[in-house]
Amino acid sequence: MKASLYLNYTTRSLVRGGQRTLLAVFCVAVGVMSIVALQLVGFMLQDSLTSNVRDINGGDVSVSVPSAPLHSSDLGFFDQLKGSGTITDYTAVSVANGGLKTVTPSYEYFQVEAVDPSHYPLVTPPTFTTPANGTISNLLSNNQVVVTQSFLDRYGKKVGDSFTVYTKTSSGTGRTLAVTLAGVITNSGSFAQAGNLLLISAQDYEAAASGSETTYSVVDMTTASAAQAKTATKAISKQFPLAATQTVADVLKTQQANVDNISNFLEIAGLLALLVGGVGIVNTMQVLLSRRKTEIAMLKTAGYHRMDLYMLFGLEAGLLGLLGGIVGALAAIGVSYIVRLFMINLGTTMLFELNPWIIAGGILVGFCSALIFGLLPIVQAANVRPLSVIRELPERRSVGSTSLTIVLMALFSLLFCAMAVVLLKNNILLGVGVVYGTFAFLLVLSALFSLVMFVVSKLPVPERFSLGYAALVLTGLVISVLLYLWLPVFGLLLLLLVLIGVGFSIAPRSWKVSLKMALRNIGRRISRTTMTAIALFVGIFSIGLVVALGQDLQSGITQAFSQQEFNIIIITSGDESTALNNQIKTIPGLTRSSQDVFTSTIPVALNDTPLQQVLAGNSRSQEALSFMSSLEGYDLTTNAPSLKLTQGRNLNASDMGTDNIVVIDQLSSTGSDGTNLKPGDTLTFMSVDGKISKKATIVGIYTGAVSVSHVGMVVAPEGFVNELSPAKTGAANVTYMKIDPAQVNHALDAIGNIAPNATVQNVADVITGFTQQLTSFLDVLVAIASLSMLAGVIIIANSVTLAMLERRRELGILKSVGYTSGIVLREVLIENGIVAAIGSIVAMLLAAIGVALLGSLLFNLTLSITPWVVGSLVGGTVLLAMLVAALVAWGAVRVRPLAVLRYE
């Protein structure tokens, strides 16, 4: 066979295919679009997090000490390292949260860094947008500040503006900074993940709080070599055992692991959408080739062999895949931009970048997926016997054809698995697990949906209301009542379906005929309706689970906070504590208040074993240290802590004057911090100024459920906390207030005037911040799940179109005996509405079970899916399916009977 014949035959076949060809192209395009878009997002994320790790780390070695900040006297150690040549330079940074108001919600905080302008940053200098030739050393002076572009966009400032910044700390020792905006830097290089950042000179920062000692949370260093970096790390860990020290290699390893996990998740989601789209390819190829049996028989009669037909139809499928790949890859550019915006809302700075290799790879994926998914229909079509077609003999499924189908399915799974392994960066174990795990799940799901479709297709449509139908209705009512007791929303949904069934029993005869034909058509093509229901199931289940879980978590957290005893928390120190105590009665709307003491300490030993040794190799050591270091003290004679104990006992008046403490369960064997604390263990603490240390005995473990009755993770008697407080500043005061919700804003204004440097937490702001973060996270997941939903919609359009093509003769006969276009269209809408209802109801039922299990296992909460989520997703899916069916079938049902019957 000549090469030109291959090309001419296939291209003309695709052109003649018309609408069927377009559907196949769209099926490929949706899958390719999903996988390429998510791969591009993963590429942007990797480039943002791993392109220049040394800049992100701030140098070759970075020391972070959030739980025990360094003092000026500690910097002498780094001078020694520099003098010995272990490090070449270092810079110390003071870090605090900042706000533009005296009382700023936590979700409006930005980061304030006080730096030495002559030694910051140690790595690549920032890129200035304004002024273009600006430098940190020239601009950071005389209370001038430099901010990132993200800060400028978020807070609406411009160069030359003067404003006041209020820094906030956990100990209430904030500062008031009167600053002028002098420069703007891009969020790139060292500041790629800086977010909303404000830089100020350490000299100006210290001058704003004369008398208060400046502490340092971060120290960045440079070294001459990687070996010197390791030497410096060992020396620093020995000198400051509670500090977190990381080299460039450590950061790269951590960042790469995070990127790999996210990329794998995105690519798996894309593979799922590609698999759903592949179902449409199989359906389309089957119909395209089944309608050409006579043509195939004539080709074989003329002497063409199976291999010739494999080549012809394989090239046809390849061209479909190539076209779909091009369309999908181009559409993926826009989709990746949208998903990137959702990722940015989560706090990850990502530049919009395109990788031509990923886009080209997407086109190749389209080509290969069309061949893989078209394999079964191509081989089946090429095996048509000419004699059977010419004599119009019925097709018989022999043992040989069944065996061939099984072999082809196995080959298909191997080929798809190989493609998945390549897309997952040659991770064979993950690729095999994902593909065959998905196949197993879909096989079980197919069996379930096939059974449901079979049962539904056999439902009776009585001419009149009979005793048998009454028994069926009664059974449905009983099941709906029983289901209501377990899952109320699904019980009501079943009741609605039963009532619709009752309504059809008294409906006009034409409606009964339409319903009966719809039900029987579902049974005639169970395999195709099952695939359509599964395609919808994947999208609806994903979206339903994400939305329902998010809504339940939000309402659960909101309800938990609303039931708290207090709704405002204020942390003050020094003169501001005195001022607040003196004027507390002037605060508007105050109905109740309580006050405790709070301090940050340095935990040094557990059961007399140094914590550095206890936490060695613990990836969550810094979180454990952070929990252990925050102590809150109670006057136990008048105010016992309100705690829910899981082990041991609570503190009471008899513990006054003792060294007994209660710790959060996150530090126990049930927590994830790996410290396994229990009643009877001892913890040794040292004050942050290093002047005193005390050993405490744990008498109880309390649950870390939502609470605003304490801010310290370790609860102790007041005297114990006071003893461990710095001699210079003393303990901070924590004041809890119950404010009338209608007066909260006025109360916050009053508190800001009394104690402008206090750290104030409004429970309503906490809820708002949590909701914003949760919404941003859910937006990303819903956007990804929507790609599978889009593939499901394409499958519906595909199935309806193929059904209309297959049933042209049937439609012609129906219209010739008096059925109107409206009646025929109604039957199509009812059929697809039923299929969509089955798929979405099963999806939401499993989503409800998933929400309940996740709530119990992960969040220790009783979560349930809300009725409006179920109703909106099920109803919306049914309406969407009927709308798509109407658009696709609109022209087909208006065919003239004579035009069909004359040529069919």
Side-chain angles (χ1 to χ4, degrees):
M1 186 182 291
K2 295 182 179 179
S4 60
L5 179 60
Y6 281 109
L7 186 60
N8 291 334
Y9 180 87
T10 52
T11 52
R12 289 173 182 174
S13 295
L14 292 178
V15 172
R16 289 198 306 267
Q19 192 177 36
R20 286 161 286 184
T21 301
L22 288 177
L23 279 173
V25 169
F26 275 121
C27 289
V28 176
V30 169
V32 171
M33 178 188 70
S34 303
I35 201 161
V36 172
L38 297 179
Q39 280 186 318
L40 285 173
V41 172
F43 166 74
M44 296 175 204
L45 183 65
Q46 174 155 348
D47 192 59
S48 298
L49 296 181
T50 63
S51 60
N52 197 334
V53 181
R54 188 169 182 263
D55 281 348
I56 294 175
N57 194 43
D60 299 298
V61 181
S62 179
V63 179
S64 175
V65 279
S67 57
L70 301 177
H71 300 268
S72 299
S73 57
D74 295 319
L75 300 184
F77 174 75
F78 297 99
D79 289 323
Q80 294 176 12
L81 292 179
K82 185 176 179 181
S84 65
T86 304
I87 63 175
T88 56
D89 203 357
Y90 78 91
T91 185
V93 181
S94 299
V95 182
N97 289 322
L100 299 180
K101 297 182 292 186
T102 54
V103 177
T104 303
S106 56
Y107 60 86
E108 290 187 3
Y109 280 160
F110 51 84
Q111 186 164 302
V112 177
E113 292 187 3
V115 303
D116 180 356
S118 61
H119 286 79
Y120 183 88
L122 297 178
V123 285
T124 308
T127 302
F128 276 81
T129 59
T130 307
N133 59 347
T135 63
I136 295 291
S137 57
N138 289 339
L139 296 178
L140 290 190
S141 61
N142 299 322
N143 290 315
Q144 293 187 143
V145 297
V146 172
V147 301
T148 57
Q149 185 64 46
S150 294
F151 179 99
L152 206 69
D153 297 337
R154 175 68 175 83
Y155 299 101
K157 300 297 182 181
K158 61 181 184 296
V159 173
D161 284 352
S162 296
F163 52 94
T164 303
V165 174
Y166 302 90
T167 64
K168 308 296 177 181
T169 66
S170 60
S171 59
T173 54
R175 307 182 187 201
T176 302
L177 310 172
V179 301
T180 300
L181 181 53
V184 181
I185 58 177
T186 62
N187 286 91
S188 60
S190 305
F191 304 92
Q193 301 302 322
N196 303 320
L197 174 66
L198 181 145
L199 298 175
I200 188 172
S201 73
Q203 182 179 355
D204 292 337
Y205 188 72
E206 292 171 10
S210 57
S212 296
E213 183 180 7
T214 299
T215 57
Y216 305 95
S217 303
V218 176
V219 179
D220 295 328
M221 288 157 278
T222 54
T223 61
S225 64
Q228 293 287 57
K230 290 183 179 180
T231 302
T233 299
K234 291 179 181 178
I236 294 166
S237 297
K238 184 177 180 180
Q239 179 71 19
F240 306 107
L242 302 183
T245 306
Q246 60 182 14
T247 63
V248 172
D250 296 331
V251 177
L252 180 60
K253 182 179 179 180
T254 302
Q255 297 282 58
Q256 190 61 56
N258 293 334
V259 169
D260 287 345
N261 289 334
I262 296 174
S263 295
N264 285 338
F265 168 74
L266 295 175
E267 287 168 357
I268 290 171
L271 280 170
L272 185 60
L274 182 64
L275 184 60
V276 173
V279 173
I281 299 173
V282 174
N283 287 341
T284 305
M285 290 296 295
Q286 282 180 333
V287 174
L288 279 171
L289 297 177
S290 65
R291 292 182 62 83
R292 290 158 58 185
K293 285 184 179 179
T294 303
E295 177 184 336
I296 294 170
M298 295 302 297
L299 287 172
K300 297 186 77 172
T301 303
Y304 291 96
H305 299 89
R306 289 183 184 177
M307 189 57 64
D308 297 323
L309 298 181
Y310 291 159
M311 293 292 292
L312 280 174
F313 301 144
L315 182 58
E316 191 172 327
L319 288 175
L320 284 173
L322 193 63
L323 291 173
I326 293 172
V327 173
L330 293 176
I333 296 173
V335 174
S336 66
Y337 184 82
I338 295 172
V339 176
R340 167 186 164 270
L341 294 179
F342 289 135
M343 295 287 286
I344 290 176
N345 288 337
L346 280 175
T348 302
T349 302
M350 296 166 55
L351 297 177
F352 183 69
E353 298 176 280
L354 297 178
N355 186 324
W357 291 108
I358 291 179
I359 296 173
I363 298 174
L364 181 61
V365 166
F367 177 79
C368 295
S369 62
L371 289 177
I372 292 172
F373 286 103
L375 179 66
L376 179 61
I378 287 172
V379 174
Q380 288 176 336
N383 281 303
V384 169
R385 295 181 61 195
L387 189 61
S388 299
V389 175
I390 295 172
R391 291 183 176 179
E392 297 184 351
L393 297 176
E395 293 185 21
R396 295 180 180 178
R397 186 172 292 275
S398 64
V399 175
S401 64
T402 302
S403 301
L404 179 62
T405 300
I406 293 174
V407 170
L408 290 174
M409 292 295 291
L411 181 59
F412 156 75
S413 69
L414 290 173
L415 291 173
F416 189 79
C417 183
M419 186 170 66
V421 169
V422 172
L423 290 174
L424 292 171
K425 299 178 178 64
N426 299 321
N427 191 330
I428 297 176
L429 187 61
L430 180 62
V432 172
V434 167
V435 170
Y436 285 101
T438 303
F439 283 167
F441 174 72
L442 292 179
L443 185 63
V444 173
L445 207 59
S446 297
L448 172 64
F449 276 117
S450 296
L451 178 61
V452 173
M453 295 297 177
F454 176 78
V455 172
V456 168
S457 69
K458 299 300 181 182
L459 289 176
V461 182
E463 294 295 329
R464 63 189 63 84
F465 200 82
S466 62
L467 290 177
Y469 195 71
L472 183 63
V473 171
L474 182 61
T475 302
L477 291 174
V478 171
I479 295 175
S480 65
V481 171
L482 295 176
L483 188 59
Y484 179 83
L485 299 176
W486 180 44
L487 294 170
V489 63
F490 291 96
L492 293 175
L493 201 57
L494 180 58
L495 177 61
L496 177 62
L497 295 177
V498 171
L499 294 178
I500 291 175
V502 173
F504 266 101
S505 67
I506 59 175
R509 179 178 175 81
S510 62
W511 281 83
K512 293 179 182 179
V513 171
S514 296
L515 176 61
K516 190 169 186 176
M517 290 180 62
L519 293 175
R520 301 305 176 258
N521 281 330
I522 290 174
R524 286 165 54 192
R525 297 174 180 83
I526 285 183
S527 60
R528 186 175 299 164
T529 52
T530 296
M531 289 299 102
T532 303
I534 289 176
L536 287 173
F537 170 90
V538 172
I540 293 299
F541 174 78
S542 304
I543 294 174
L545 183 65
V546 169
V547 172
L549 189 61
Q551 291 290 334
D552 279 356
L553 282 177
Q554 182 177 332
S555 61
I557 296 295
T558 301
Q559 183 179 10
F561 273 117
S562 65
Q563 295 173 349
Q564 296 299 308
E565 187 177 4
F566 303 102
N567 57 353
I568 300 291
I569 304 172
I570 308 134
I571 303 177
T572 54
S573 63
D575 294 339
E576 290 193 347
S577 294
T578 304
L580 183 62
N581 288 335
N582 293 337
Q583 302 179 54
I584 192 168
K585 294 183 179 180
T586 66
I587 296 175
L590 179 65
T591 59
R592 188 170 182 271
S593 67
S594 176
Q595 193 173 86
D596 306 314
V597 293
F598 173 85
T599 193
S600 293
T601 64
I602 303 174
V604 293
L606 170 60
N607 295 326
D608 297 323
T609 303
L611 273 177
Q612 182 184 20
Q613 180 178 335
V614 173
L615 298 176
N618 187 339
S619 61
R620 308 193 67 161
S621 59
Q622 288 304 308
E623 181 179 294
L625 290 171
S626 177
F627 283 163
M628 292 181 194
S629 65
S630 61
L631 270 66
E632 184 164 358
Y634 285 76
D635 181 357
L636 298 174
T637 58
T638 59
N639 182 25
S642 177
L643 303 172
K644 183 179 179 181
L645 275 294
T646 59
Q647 298 181 51
R649 65 175 180 85
N650 198 358
L651 298 179
N652 53 51
S654 63
D655 293 302
M656 200 67 182
T658 68
D659 297 335
N660 294 333
I661 60 174
V662 178
V663 300
I664 190 170
D665 59 354
Q666 187 69 14
L667 298 170
S668 70
S669 58
T670 60
S672 59
D673 286 340
T675 49
N676 299 322
L677 300 186
K678 60 186 181 300
D681 287 344
T682 61
L683 272 175
T684 303
F685 299 91
M686 183 173 66
S687 60
V688 292
D689 58 8
K691 294 183 178 180
I692 188 171
S693 63
K694 290 182 69 67
K695 182 189 293 185
T697 301
I698 300 172
V699 298
I701 308 290
Y702 71 91
T703 179
V706 176
S707 174
V708 294
S709 61
H710 58 91
V711 295
M713 299 296 105
V714 177
V715 177
E718 185 179 55
F720 181 81
V721 174
N722 283 328
E723 289 184 67
L724 283 171
S725 300
K728 191 172 184 179
T729 60
N733 282 356
V734 184
T735 305
Y736 301 91
M737 296 182 181
K738 181 66 175 179
I739 305 290
D740 180 0
Q743 296 288 318
V744 165
N745 290 334
H746 297 300
L748 293 176
D749 290 339
I751 294 168
N753 291 330
I754 296 171
N757 295 318
T759 300
V760 182
Q761 192 175 74
N762 179 5
V763 171
D765 293 337
V766 174
I767 296 173
T768 301
F770 171 79
T771 301
Q772 288 180 352
Q773 286 294 314
L774 181 62
T775 301
S776 297
F777 180 66
L778 295 180
D779 286 343
V780 174
L781 296 182
V782 170
I784 294 171
S786 297
L787 297 176
S788 295
M789 185 64 188
L790 178 60
V793 172
I794 296 296
I795 296 297
I796 294 174
N798 178 288
S799 298
V800 173
T801 302
L802 298 181
M804 293 297 98
L805 291 170
E806 290 178 334
R807 289 151 57 180
R808 276 173 58 84
R809 183 179 179 85
E810 176 186 326
L811 295 178
I813 293 173
L814 287 174
K815 297 193 73 174
S816 66
V817 297
Y819 285 84
T820 64
S821 299
I823 294 176
V824 177
L825 181 62
R826 183 170 63 200
E827 181 271 320
V828 174
L829 297 183
I830 293 174
E831 178 183 341
N832 286 276
I834 292 173
V835 173
I838 293 172
S840 56
I841 290 173
V842 173
M844 292 309 299
L845 182 61
L846 293 184
I849 296 173
V851 166
L853 290 176
L854 288 174
S856 174
L857 298 176
L858 296 183
F859 305 106
N860 197 26
L861 294 172
T862 302
L863 302 180
S864 61
I865 200 162
T866 54
W868 76 266
V869 172
V870 175
S872 59
L873 285 177
V874 172
T877 303
V878 171
L879 291 176
L880 180 61
M882 295 175 73
L883 177 61
V884 172
L887 292 174
V888 174
W890 185 266
V893 298
R894 277 163 170 71
V895 65
R896 295 178 60 193
L898 187 61
V900 175
L901 299 178
R902 177 179 293 172
Y903 299 108
E904 286 286 335

